[in-house]
Amino acid sequence: MDARIFAPEDLLLLAPQSSQLLDIPEAKRLEYGWELSEGGSAFTIWDETPDGLRPVFCGGALRRYPHYALLWGLFSVHRPRVPAHLTRCTRNFVSRLRERRIEAQASADNRAACGWVRLIGLQEETRLAGAMPDGSDMVIFIKKGTN
Protein backbone atom coordinates (compact mmCIF):
# COMPACT_ATOMS: atom_id res chain seq x y z
CA MET A 1 0.00 0.00 0.00
CA ASP A 2 1.14 3.48 -0.87
CA ALA A 3 -0.24 6.77 0.53
CA ARG A 4 -0.31 9.77 -1.78
CA ILE A 5 -1.77 13.26 -1.76
CA PHE A 6 -5.35 13.07 -3.04
CA ALA A 7 -6.01 14.09 -6.64
CA PRO A 8 -9.61 14.64 -7.82
CA GLU A 9 -9.15 12.05 -10.58
CA ASP A 10 -8.51 9.38 -7.92
CA LEU A 11 -12.27 9.21 -7.37
CA LEU A 12 -12.72 8.15 -11.00
CA LEU A 13 -10.36 5.19 -10.51
CA LEU A 14 -11.82 3.97 -7.21
CA ALA A 15 -14.60 1.36 -7.37
CA PRO A 16 -16.77 2.29 -4.32
CA GLN A 17 -18.31 -0.25 -2.01
CA SER A 18 -22.02 -0.73 -2.70
CA SER A 19 -22.94 0.98 0.59
CA GLN A 20 -21.29 4.18 -0.68
CA LEU A 21 -22.59 4.32 -4.24
CA LEU A 22 -25.07 7.08 -3.34
CA ASP A 23 -22.58 9.11 -1.26
CA ILE A 24 -20.75 10.51 -4.28
CA PRO A 25 -22.77 9.82 -7.45
CA GLU A 26 -20.65 8.55 -10.34
CA ALA A 27 -21.60 11.43 -12.65
CA LYS A 28 -20.42 13.95 -10.03
CA ARG A 29 -17.24 12.26 -8.77
CA LEU A 30 -14.80 14.57 -10.54
CA GLU A 31 -16.76 17.67 -9.51
CA TYR A 32 -16.86 16.43 -5.90
CA GLY A 33 -13.18 15.53 -6.16
CA TRP A 34 -12.23 19.11 -7.01
CA GLU A 35 -14.38 20.46 -4.16
CA LEU A 36 -12.83 18.00 -1.71
CA SER A 37 -9.31 18.75 -2.95
CA GLU A 38 -9.64 22.53 -2.89
CA GLY A 39 -11.58 22.67 0.38
CA GLY A 40 -9.26 20.79 2.67
CA SER A 41 -6.59 18.17 2.95
CA ALA A 42 -6.93 14.60 1.76
CA PHE A 43 -5.00 11.48 0.83
CA THR A 44 -5.40 8.38 -1.31
CA ILE A 45 -4.22 4.87 -0.50
CA TRP A 46 -3.15 2.92 -3.59
CA ASP A 47 -2.74 -0.85 -3.78
CA GLU A 48 -2.81 -3.72 -6.24
CA THR A 49 -6.32 -4.84 -7.16
CA PRO A 50 -7.65 -7.27 -9.80
CA ASP A 51 -7.82 -4.15 -12.05
CA GLY A 52 -4.16 -3.26 -11.43
CA LEU A 53 -2.78 -0.50 -9.21
CA ARG A 54 -5.84 1.47 -8.06
CA PRO A 55 -7.02 3.63 -5.18
CA VAL A 56 -8.50 1.52 -2.40
CA PHE A 57 -9.35 4.51 -0.18
CA CYS A 58 -9.73 8.25 -0.64
CA GLY A 59 -10.42 10.42 2.38
CA GLY A 60 -9.72 13.63 4.18
CA ALA A 61 -11.08 16.70 5.91
CA LEU A 62 -13.25 19.23 4.10
CA ARG A 63 -12.93 22.55 5.87
CA ARG A 64 -16.33 24.24 5.70
CA TYR A 65 -15.40 27.10 8.04
CA PRO A 66 -12.18 28.05 9.90
CA HIS A 67 -13.39 26.15 12.99
CA TYR A 68 -15.23 23.22 11.30
CA ALA A 69 -13.96 20.22 9.33
CA LEU A 70 -16.11 17.45 7.88
CA LEU A 71 -14.32 14.12 7.50
CA TRP A 72 -15.06 12.08 4.41
CA GLY A 73 -13.93 8.74 3.05
CA LEU A 74 -14.65 6.50 0.10
CA PHE A 75 -13.71 2.80 0.29
CA SER A 76 -13.03 0.40 -2.60
CA VAL A 77 -14.87 -2.85 -3.21
CA HIS A 78 -11.38 -4.37 -3.43
CA ARG A 79 -10.88 -3.88 0.32
CA PRO A 80 -14.06 -5.10 2.02
CA ARG A 81 -12.16 -5.08 5.32
CA VAL A 82 -10.22 -1.97 6.29
CA PRO A 83 -6.51 -2.76 6.71
CA ALA A 84 -5.07 -1.88 10.13
CA HIS A 85 -2.48 0.33 8.41
CA LEU A 86 -5.25 2.48 6.91
CA THR A 87 -7.00 2.81 10.27
CA ARG A 88 -3.75 3.91 11.95
CA CYS A 89 -2.95 6.35 9.14
CA THR A 90 -6.43 7.88 9.32
CA ARG A 91 -6.43 8.06 13.12
CA ASN A 92 -3.09 9.89 12.93
CA PHE A 93 -4.50 12.27 10.29
CA VAL A 94 -7.55 13.02 12.48
CA SER A 95 -5.42 13.54 15.60
CA ARG A 96 -3.53 16.35 13.84
CA LEU A 97 -6.64 18.33 12.90
CA ARG A 98 -7.03 21.52 14.94
CA GLU A 99 -10.55 22.70 14.13
CA ARG A 100 -12.88 23.14 17.11
CA ARG A 101 -15.47 20.90 15.47
CA ILE A 102 -14.43 17.79 13.57
CA GLU A 103 -17.37 15.78 12.32
CA ALA A 104 -18.05 12.61 10.37
CA GLN A 105 -21.32 11.17 9.13
CA ALA A 106 -22.30 7.54 8.53
CA SER A 107 -25.43 5.54 7.88
CA ALA A 108 -26.85 4.07 11.07
CA ASP A 109 -27.51 0.92 9.01
CA ASN A 110 -23.81 0.51 8.22
CA ARG A 111 -22.41 -0.97 11.44
CA ALA A 112 -18.95 -1.42 9.91
CA ALA A 113 -18.73 2.26 8.96
CA CYS A 114 -19.92 3.40 12.39
CA GLY A 115 -17.41 1.09 14.08
CA TRP A 116 -14.57 2.38 11.91
CA VAL A 117 -15.42 6.02 12.64
CA ARG A 118 -15.14 5.17 16.34
CA LEU A 119 -11.78 3.46 15.73
CA ILE A 120 -10.36 6.64 14.15
CA GLY A 121 -11.18 8.62 17.29
CA LEU A 122 -14.71 9.97 17.05
CA GLN A 123 -17.76 9.47 19.22
CA GLU A 124 -21.46 9.53 18.42
CA GLU A 125 -23.11 12.89 18.96
CA THR A 126 -26.62 12.44 17.51
CA ARG A 127 -28.79 10.78 14.87
CA LEU A 128 -30.75 12.42 12.10
CA ALA A 129 -33.83 10.49 11.00
CA GLY A 130 -33.94 9.81 7.26
CA ALA A 131 -30.97 12.05 6.39
CA MET A 132 -28.93 9.58 4.29
CA PRO A 133 -29.32 9.54 0.48
CA ASP A 134 -31.22 6.23 0.70
CA GLY A 135 -33.54 7.54 3.44
CA SER A 136 -31.84 5.70 6.31
CA ASP A 137 -30.83 7.45 9.51
CA MET A 138 -27.53 9.35 9.64
CA VAL A 139 -25.23 9.17 12.65
CA ILE A 140 -23.20 12.30 13.38
CA PHE A 141 -19.85 11.66 15.03
CA ILE A 142 -17.48 14.24 16.51
CA LYS A 143 -13.85 14.12 17.52
CA LYS A 144 -13.50 13.30 21.21
CA GLY A 145 -12.67 16.37 23.26
CA THR A 146 -14.25 18.83 20.82
CA ASN A 147 -17.16 21.17 21.59
Side-chain angles (χ1 to χ4, degrees):
M1 284 202 274
D2 181 32
R4 301 180 192 172
I5 294 174
F6 172 75
E9 296 81 9
D10 295 349
L11 291 181
L12 300 176
L13 298 172
L14 187 141
Q17 293 180 357
S18 61
S19 63
Q20 292 192 290
L21 287 174
L22 296 176
D23 292 348
I24 301 179
E26 186 172 2
K28 295 194 171 226
R29 281 196 201 137
L30 191 56
E31 177 184 335
Y32 276 47
W34 280 107
E35 179 184 344
L36 296 167
S37 176
E38 293 173 355
S41 54
F43 61 98
T44 301
I45 302 293
W46 291 77
D47 203 3
E48 285 296 328
T49 73
D51 299 325
L53 186 63
R54 295 278 192 259
V56 294
F57 174 80
C58 295
L62 180 60
R63 289 174 174 86
R64 293 287 190 191
Y65 312 106
H67 64 276
Y68 171 65
L70 176 62
L71 300 178
W72 65 275
L74 198 62
F75 294 86
S76 168
V77 295
H78 299 297
R79 292 294 175 275
R81 299 188 70 159
V82 180
H85 171 72
L86 175 55
T87 299
R88 283 190 304 273
C89 181
T90 306
R91 187 176 24 225
N92 186 35
F93 174 84
V94 170
S95 73
R96 293 180 178 177
L97 297 173
R98 296 295 168 237
E99 287 77 12
R100 283 193 319 265
R101 181 170 181 87
I102 298 165
E103 179 181 309
Q105 304 166 350
S107 172
D109 292 346
N110 190 334
R111 291 181 51 191
C114 291
W116 191 74
V117 172
R118 288 182 181 96
L119 282 175
I120 63 168
L122 283 77
Q123 63 188 10
E124 185 174 331
E125 180 184 48
T126 194
R127 291 177 181 235
L128 304 177
M132 292 301 293
D134 65 358
S136 64
D137 292 353
M138 176 186 288
V139 182
I140 306 294
F141 293 89
I142 59 169
K143 182 178 174 184
K144 294 177 182 178
T146 59
N147 287 350

